[in-house]
Amino acid sequence: MSTASTPPAPRRHSLLSGAWAWLLATINDINRPAWLYLPVLGFLPMTFGSTATFFWFGACIYVGLVFLARRITWVWPPTTAFACLVALGYFAVTIISPLAFANPVAGWMDVGTALHFLTVVMLIGTLVQTPKVDVFALFLNGIRAACIVALGHALVQVFLFGHPRATAGMANAIPFGDTAMMSAGLAMVGFQRLSRPMRVFALAAFASGIAATLLSQTRGALVALPLVVLVVTVHLWPMIRRRLWQAGLVAAVLVAALFVFAVQMKVPQRIDQVRAALEAEDIIRHRDASTAHRVILWSYGLDVFLDNPVIGVGSQNAVEEVRRRAAADGYRVPPYRHLHNEFISTAVGRGVIGLIVLLALLAAPIIIAVESARDERRADRVAFAILLSGSYALFGLTNLLFSHDQTNTVFVACYLILAAAAHQSRVGLTRFERPFLGVPPRG
């Protein structure tokens, strides 16, 4: 009686062969890196600042290599055409400055910052080829984790090291506060479909994002707080209405905790300073020099725009032209890099053409979300888009948005995810699975 032979055991990988096999598998199946990349993309900007920008362009290099290996192809589906054209249009307008105006080297630097809007097209084309990956859910989980970690970082900065304003991983307090406020709202998107532990995670992220904003004392971010609260309330209203007393109790606890925190951080005093400065007859003499400088930049910026309305004076020349006119009337302001208002900076630097493209870019997320499929997650996409576009529009009233690598990375990452999620909805992708992420067995 013969016995069946035992099959040989699979050969085990060495460290180097395992790493090489994992790399090859990651190139061969684009679902693998996308599943890992997206939550990290949501996590990095608020926690490690410009590191997220390097991560973004690193992903572009990786995608280029995978494309050269012919594991993915160049695609331009109708479902993503609008998003891609708007991004490319914004990038194209930035090229006017170095080509048409003096000081072209500085203008090319402005174009370099806008490279996000060129490369986002290739990343959108990549994500539409990842049918296993729920891009929306993964990205939101990364944002939720970022809110909590960033608050911890901010607390250490303020209470341990004595920083007057928290910056966490970003260059200064303004982009950090803005991003924290918007991320707080994004953390609540899709809350009604989360499991109970994930709901606790989302609520903790929501409170952490707002608390981190208070630690940054960023006024533009505080202006966006009513929008965040309104969008989250409307988005979750069916759930709130069913559990009214529970939602009211949670809201009361959050509001009370954040109010005590805000008083501790002297946020009301900062708001009073701004109000008093705006009511002063001669704002330049008021003690709040930051507000005074903004009003001067905006006033003279409007004059420059009216004199050069079509294509402006060039982004690289906008600040100096405004400061020159203000100095002629006796007003001295520091040599800022921008005019502390995205709309005025764009109008002065790029004229009506640039302003139209900027408004199109801010409106595009809402249009993309509204035009997506009417499935059970459409409300999530619309809330996400309103928070993104609305928050950036409000932030742009007091700060520059798209000539700063960190705020660029945040916006374009959200834009990427929304475009890919809308595509998935329109082609009927509703079931996702985690791709195999381990080292493939050795043959």
Side-chain angles (χ1 to χ4, degrees):
M1 184 175 182
S2 62
T3 59
S5 60
T6 303
R11 298 167 59 196
R12 299 185 64 181
H13 281 292
S14 66
L15 180 62
L16 289 178
S17 68
W20 181 246
W22 188 91
L23 179 61
L24 287 179
T26 303
I27 292 174
N28 288 332
D29 181 6
I30 197 68
N31 289 280
R32 287 166 56 100
W35 198 91
L36 299 170
Y37 168 80
L38 297 177
V40 180
L41 181 62
F43 176 81
L44 276 180
M46 193 162 56
T47 51
F48 291 100
S50 292
T51 303
T53 302
F54 294 111
F55 184 71
W56 173 274
F57 287 106
C60 295
I61 294 171
Y62 167 82
V63 167
L65 294 175
V66 175
F67 177 79
L68 291 175
R70 298 186 178 182
R71 298 299 186 268
I72 58 174
T73 59
W74 172 258
V75 294
W76 184 279
T79 51
T80 64
F82 173 75
C84 292
L85 286 172
V86 171
L88 290 174
Y90 182 84
F91 177 78
V93 168
T94 64
I95 299 175
I96 295 174
S97 289
L99 295 180
F101 298 102
N103 195 16
V105 174
W108 284 116
M109 291 176 63
D110 194 47
V111 174
T113 307
L115 277 173
H116 290 78
F117 295 95
L118 179 64
T119 58
V120 71
V121 174
M122 65 185 294
L123 293 184
I124 290 174
T126 301
L127 286 188
V128 301
Q129 299 178 71
T130 57
K132 292 184 179 181
V133 180
D134 186 348
V135 295
F136 202 57
L138 287 171
F139 185 73
L140 288 175
N141 281 336
I143 286 178
R144 292 169 184 138
C147 288
I148 296 170
V149 172
L151 175 61
H153 190 171
L155 288 170
V156 170
Q157 282 187 314
V158 173
F159 292 106
L160 187 60
F161 293 108
H163 293 190
R165 299 175 65 186
T167 61
M170 292 205 170
N172 60 63
I174 293 175
F176 171 64
D178 289 350
T179 305
M181 179 58 72
M182 186 183 75
S183 297
L186 295 179
M188 296 297 287
V189 171
F191 181 84
Q192 63 270 31
R193 281 195 313 280
L194 298 176
S195 64
R196 182 168 295 179
M198 290 302 293
R199 288 180 179 178
V200 174
F201 181 40
L203 284 171
F206 178 70
S208 297
I210 297 176
T213 300
L214 298 177
L215 285 170
S216 75
Q217 298 187 41
T218 303
R219 289 168 289 191
L222 292 175
V223 170
L225 178 58
L227 172 71
V228 169
V229 172
L230 176 63
V231 173
V232 170
T233 301
V234 172
H235 177 52
L236 301 182
W237 181 246
M239 183 178 184
I240 293 172
R241 187 173 54 188
R242 291 194 304 270
R243 299 176 174 84
L244 196 57
W245 72 269
Q246 294 173 314
L249 180 61
V250 171
V253 171
L254 284 175
V255 169
L258 291 170
F259 178 78
V260 171
F261 195 63
V263 171
Q264 180 69 23
M265 292 308 303
K266 301 181 179 180
V267 172
Q269 290 91 319
R270 188 165 176 83
I271 295 173
D272 286 340
Q273 285 182 354
V274 177
R275 179 185 54 77
L278 294 173
E279 293 173 354
E281 293 182 4
D282 188 358
I283 195 167
I284 192 60
R285 295 179 181 174
H286 194 272
R287 60 182 176 175
D288 187 7
S290 177
T291 301
H293 292 156
R294 280 169 166 78
V295 173
I296 293 170
L297 292 171
W298 301 344
S299 301
Y300 285 92
L302 182 59
D303 290 342
V304 175
F305 167 65
L306 293 176
D307 290 342
N308 307 272
V310 181
I311 59 174
V313 298
S315 297
Q316 68 271 30
N317 305 315
V319 174
E320 285 307 310
E321 178 62 21
V322 170
R323 290 183 72 243
R324 183 187 66 78
R325 294 196 183 198
D329 289 341
Y331 293 114
R332 298 282 190 270
V333 292
Y336 294 118
R337 294 177 56 191
H338 54 84
L339 301 178
H340 286 282
N341 184 300
E342 181 71 24
F343 305 98
I344 293 176
S345 295
T346 300
V348 174
R350 299 171 186 159
V352 172
I353 294 175
L355 200 54
I356 290 173
V357 174
L358 171 63
L359 294 175
L361 183 64
L362 291 174
I366 297 176
I367 296 172
I368 292 168
V370 169
E371 292 298 318
S372 63
R374 295 182 176 273
D375 57 15
E376 62 177 6
R377 303 177 75 178
R378 181 173 182 269
D380 296 353
R381 294 187 293 271
V382 172
F384 183 98
I386 293 173
L387 285 167
L388 175 61
S389 296
S391 295
Y392 263 69
L394 291 172
F395 300 154
L397 296 176
T398 58
N399 191 34
L400 201 65
L401 301 177
F402 299 124
S403 289
H404 193 297
D405 75 285
Q406 294 164 2
T407 48
N408 250 0
T409 303
V410 171
F411 181 89
V412 84
C414 294
Y415 191 85
L416 164 69
I417 296 305
L418 186 62
H423 164 83
Q424 290 181 337
S425 75
R426 293 178 69 181
V427 299
L429 275 176
T430 57
R431 295 175 61 86
F432 304 96
E433 60 183 282
R434 188 177 74 178
F436 175 68
L437 301 176
V439 178
R442 190 169 183 175

